[in-house]
């Protein structure tokens, strides 16, 4: 360990400030672990305790009621700013702060240490897990009530611990293959201007004195082959490999670098053809998530519900108008006069499904057309929409922040204008990425990607300025 520290210290003089920060992350690993455990304990308390308390009274505030505080912490601060942080700093959240990652890795030290089964390596899990948790969260009103937060967030934590106990040794098998947000985070990290860069030739030619891994094996918990790492997608930015063989350095890059100028290797070409990340972006982030953010504000849903209820009454079909009675399936809080009927649940699911097909289908159609005109695979072109999809999710989550602040009397009157400005800028950013990515028909590439963003932009504008 001393040798590692000496070598790290020795290389500091020639490194920039950012590189020094990366090396410090490695050197002060214990400090990071302490921070992680503080977050683990705070997270467990905020997820679990409110679920066993009575619902907060109307006059409760963020500062005097634990349930309100936990809601604000999770939905007002945590989620929106985690999304933002990943676009800005890569997956530092995962490697340094995430309680689930810390727990699954810690328990895997003492677990069975089995090899990862084939079924777990299926590339569709991040999409399926993201859609299932998003939809179940809406059905159970996760933003408003602590029990569904315990069910979904706590359930995910228990699953992460179970996976850690069975598979992998000191690894984050859960994060790599099954975490419901790892797919989204992996996409967003591609545009982060900060990353751990690996110089393969320096790695291969490092003098024996610099081959620190022989003396102190780097444990890359998300199972990355560090020497061959070219993407920030899977890297949890934990800093444990910083300075390794004088070849790994925390450094800046252009935010579009990973999307535009990927080395033309067989591995990269195979990854480009992977459909699941593109499906997650198009039908998950710009489809299901959009529907989940919009259904409760939609006057169209109210109109359809009234028509459907009238029809059911006229035809004496009563069961859809009954409540489910199960809070873990559909919102059921009679004490707060907040109860979903089967009709409510069915319409909610239909709304999200229709918006997913219409908006996601629109985006997908333009990607296919643009792909046909430029000769690029649509799934590669989809990456140009990462900034737009990321800000779309951030904008949706930020509405929880401002609505909770409004409940406390803090009005952010400029929020909608700022949101639409962010979305337009990120759409233009996507068009410029497409223009640079295309080797022919560059203008068509930029127009095609701009057109792909028109319908989601219209959906957001309708919510902000019409409803
Ligand atoms: S490559 Fe692995 S060890 Fe290195 S920073 Fe990323 S997650 Fe950590």
């Amino acid at each position: 360990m001393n040798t590692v520290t000496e070598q790290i210290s020795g290389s500091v003089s020639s490194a920039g400030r950012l590189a020094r920060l990366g090396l410090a992350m490695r050197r002060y690993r214990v400090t990071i672990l302490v921070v992680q455990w503080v977050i683990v304990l705070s997270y467990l308390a905020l997820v679990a305790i409110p679920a066993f308390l009575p619902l907060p009274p109307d006059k409760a505030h963020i500062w005097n009621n634990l349930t309100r505080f936990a809601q604000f912490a999770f939905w007002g601060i945590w989620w929106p700013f985690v999304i933002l942080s990943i676009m800005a700093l890569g997956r530092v959240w995962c490697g340094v702060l995430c309680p689930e990652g810390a727990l699954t890795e810690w328990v895997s030290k003492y677990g069975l240490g089995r090899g990862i089964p084939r079924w777990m390596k299926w590339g569709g899990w991040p999409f399926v897990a993201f859609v299932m948790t998003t939809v179940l969260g809406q059905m159970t009103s996760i933003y408003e009530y602590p029990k569904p937060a315990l069910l979904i967030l706590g359930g995910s934590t228990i699953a992460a611990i179970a996976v850690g106990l069975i598979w992998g040794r000191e690894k984050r098998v859960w994060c790599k293959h099954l975490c419901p947000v790892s797919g989204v985070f992996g996409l967003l990290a591609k545009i982060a201007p900060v990353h751990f860069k690996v110089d393969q030739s320096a790695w291969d030619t490092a003098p024996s004195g610099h081959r620190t891994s022989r003396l102190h094996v780097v444990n890359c918990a998300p199972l990355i082959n560090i020497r061959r790492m070219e993407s920030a997608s899977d890297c949890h930015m934990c800093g444990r490999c910083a300075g390794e063989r004088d070849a790994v350095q925390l450094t800046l890059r252009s935010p579009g670098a990973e999307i535009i100028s990927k080395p033309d290797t067989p591995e990269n070409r195979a990854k480009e053809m992977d459909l699941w990340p593109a499906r997650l972006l198009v039908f998950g982030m710009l489809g299901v998530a959009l529907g989940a953010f919009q259904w409760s504000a939609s006057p169209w849903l109210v109109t359809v519900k009234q028509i459907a209820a009238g029809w059911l009454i006229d035809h004496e079909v009563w069961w859809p108008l009954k409540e489910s009675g199960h809070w873990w399936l559909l919102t059921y809080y009679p004490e707060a006069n907040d109860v979903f009927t089967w009709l409510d649940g069915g319409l909610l699911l239909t709304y999200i499904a229709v918006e997913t097909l219409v908006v996601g289908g629109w985006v997908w159609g333009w990607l296919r057309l643009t792909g046909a005109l430029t000769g690029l695979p649509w799934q590669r072109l989809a990456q140009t929409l990462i900034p737009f999809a990321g800000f779309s999710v951030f904008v949706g989550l930020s509405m929880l922040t401002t609505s909770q602040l409004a409940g406390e009397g803090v009005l952010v009157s400029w929020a909608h204008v700022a949101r639409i400005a962010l979305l337009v800028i990120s759409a233009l950013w996507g068009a410029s990425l497409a223009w640079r990515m295309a080797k022919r028909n560059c203008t068509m590439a930029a127009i095609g990607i701009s057109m792909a963003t028109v319908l989601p932009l219209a959906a957001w504008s309708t919510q902000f300025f019409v409803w």
Side-chain angles (χ1 to χ4, degrees), residues 196 218 220 222 224 226 229 235-241:
F196 277 100
V218 174
C220 178
I224 295 169
I226 300 169
M229 181 169 74
C235 173
H236 285 201
M237 302 285 283
C238 68
R240 277 179 267 194
C241 64

